[in-house]
Amino acid sequence: MSWLWNPSGDAPRPPGPTEDLVVDPANPSRKVRRKAANEPFLAYKEFKDKQEKEHEAWLQRKKEREERLARGESVGPEERDPTAEEEVGLVGLLKFILYVLLIIVLAGKFFTGSFLWEYDGKWVRLKTYLPESQGRLFSEAYLATFDGRDAHKPLYLAIDGDVYDVSSNKRTYGPGGPYHHMAGIDAARSFATGCFATHRTHDLRGLSDSELKSVQHWKQFFADHKTYFKVGRVLHPPIDPDTPIPEPCDPSKARAQPSEKDMKQGEKHPSKRSARSSGLEHEEL
């Protein structure tokens, strides 16, 4: 606490006989000690002096080049000023953005174990950015050949005319799976009514508004699924309006409509799925 007794500070100490003195960058008429507190200022002064010398040398070389050009002599390409400051520009900005993204991605891997910070939304799926292709057109007979019985063909199912490749979930839709009977066919009505045994048809006549909304819900589910892909449309023959509307199934024998939670649980625990009779709940679609 000596500053309390001497607020003006100690008088400047005269330099010792062996102490190195250099010109003060702020005042060339005096010299200062080369101590730690002065090093940043001295280093900057040395840098500026070096830059000035390099610039003067470049100006001299440029002048000589112009004189040779005036005499008609051949010269090399014009030399760039070695002391000129580079502008950031568009390339520099893109590099900066790239480095920031790289740091964010690596930080995500370090803290969460996922490069995308465990984000699994539609914005990281390739099909979100690709224009949707209508794909091929299927007849009902041709669609039936993609029910998984032929191991060399993919596994397809349809809902309200849209055909999806569900080959990534053969445990559920493939032969021996609990919902193999939904592969190779458009069973849109069963998605609304839950009658997976008797309503394996695309006929949506007579459904209530809530049931039609259920069909749209499942269509959106398959469209947004990260491993299911739309591959085309199935062409159905016109429905004769005089034909009877499918009868409601016995509620005691109808399978309950599946929920998204059921499906996610089914995907996480595929070993718990097995072929069920038509009286059990639908665990996964």
Side-chain angles (χ1 to χ4, degrees), residues 37-100:
N38 295 332
E39 283 297 334
F41 304 99
L42 298 175
Y44 179 73
K45 181 64 169 64
E46 292 175 0
F47 169 74
K48 295 299 292 184
D49 291 343
K50 181 181 178 182
Q51 289 283 90
E52 186 176 351
K53 291 179 181 179
E54 290 182 355
H55 183 67
E56 292 177 355
W58 173 78
L59 289 175
Q60 182 62 32
R61 293 193 298 271
K62 182 178 180 181
K63 181 179 179 182
E64 294 174 356
R65 182 178 182 275
E66 292 175 350
E67 292 175 352
R68 294 178 63 185
L69 282 174
R71 295 194 298 267
E73 300 178 8
S74 61
V75 295
E78 184 176 0
E79 181 183 355
R80 178 181 170 276
D81 184 357
T83 62
E85 294 184 359
E86 295 185 9
E87 295 183 359
V88 174
L90 180 60
V91 176
L93 179 61
L94 292 177
K95 286 183 178 180
F96 173 76
I97 295 175
L98 179 62
Y99 292 148
V100 170

Side-chain angles (χ1 to χ4, degrees), residues 7-231:
S8 59
D10 297 330
R13 180 175 60 85
T18 61
E19 204 163 7
D20 186 15
L21 297 179
V22 294
V23 177
D24 185 354
N27 186 2
S29 63
R30 72 189 188 98
K31 293 186 176 182
V32 295
R33 300 182 185 88
R34 186 177 285 278
K35 58 182 180 179
N38 295 332
E39 283 297 334
F41 304 99
L42 298 175
Y44 179 73
K45 181 64 169 64
E46 292 175 0
F47 169 74
K48 295 299 292 184
D49 291 343
K50 181 181 178 182
Q51 289 283 90
E52 186 176 351
K53 291 179 181 179
E54 290 182 355
H55 183 67
E56 292 177 355
W58 173 78
L59 289 175
Q60 182 62 32
R61 293 193 298 271
K62 182 178 180 181
K63 181 179 179 182
E64 294 174 356
R65 182 178 182 275
E66 292 175 350
E67 292 175 352
R68 294 178 63 185
L69 282 174
R71 295 194 298 267
E73 300 178 8
S74 61
V75 295
E78 184 176 0
E79 181 183 355
R80 178 181 170 276
D81 184 357
T83 62
E85 294 184 359
E86 295 185 9
E87 295 183 359
V88 174
L90 180 60
V91 176
L93 179 61
L94 292 177
K95 286 183 178 180
F96 173 76
I97 295 175
L98 179 62
Y99 292 148
V100 170
L101 291 177
L102 182 62
I103 291 174
I104 293 175
V105 167
L106 294 178
K109 183 64 174 178
F110 178 78
F111 290 108
T112 67
S114 168
F115 287 113
L116 299 177
W117 294 79
E118 298 183 345
Y119 176 73
D120 193 30
K122 68 176 184 178
W123 301 113
V124 296
R125 299 173 189 168
L126 185 60
K127 67 178 182 179
T128 302
Y129 306 97
L130 296 178
E132 183 176 335
S133 173
Q134 293 300 321
R136 69 173 72 175
L137 293 177
F138 294 82
S139 65
E140 292 182 342
Y142 186 50
L143 177 62
T145 64
F146 294 89
D147 63 354
R149 296 179 184 179
D150 187 343
H152 300 289
K153 288 186 176 183
L155 187 62
Y156 294 165
L157 67 74
I159 176 171
D160 196 23
D162 293 332
V163 181
Y164 290 92
D165 185 333
V166 294
S167 302
S168 61
N169 199 2
K170 291 184 178 180
R171 288 179 177 270
T172 298
Y173 298 108
Y179 298 104
H180 171 60
H181 57 276
M182 301 187 70
I185 194 172
D186 187 345
R189 190 178 188 88
S190 65
F191 283 93
T193 63
C195 301
F196 294 100
T198 59
H199 284 181
R200 297 175 66 243
T201 175
H202 65 284
D203 188 352
L204 301 181
R205 293 178 302 162
L207 295 182
S208 65
D209 290 341
S210 62
E211 289 173 331
L212 291 174
K213 288 181 180 179
S214 180
V215 174
Q216 293 302 317
H217 165 78
W218 288 113
K219 288 183 67 175
Q220 193 64 42
F221 170 81
F222 283 100
D224 293 340
H225 199 281
K226 63 181 179 181
T227 61
Y228 300 159
F229 300 92
K230 184 178 178 180
V231 293

Side-chain angles (χ1 to χ4, degrees), residues 225-243:
H225 199 281
K226 63 181 179 181
T227 61
Y228 300 159
F229 300 92
K230 184 178 178 180
V231 293
R233 297 271 304 172
V234 57
L235 297 177
H236 298 293
I239 298 175
D240 186 351
D242 294 331
T243 58

Side-chain angles (χ1 to χ4, degrees), residues 259-279:
S259 66
E260 290 185 12
K261 182 178 180 181
D262 293 335
M263 290 195 314
K264 291 178 180 178
Q265 290 177 345
E267 289 181 346
K268 291 180 180 179
H269 306 287
S271 62
K272 294 183 179 180
R273 295 191 302 264
S274 60
R276 306 283 183 91
S277 66
S278 61

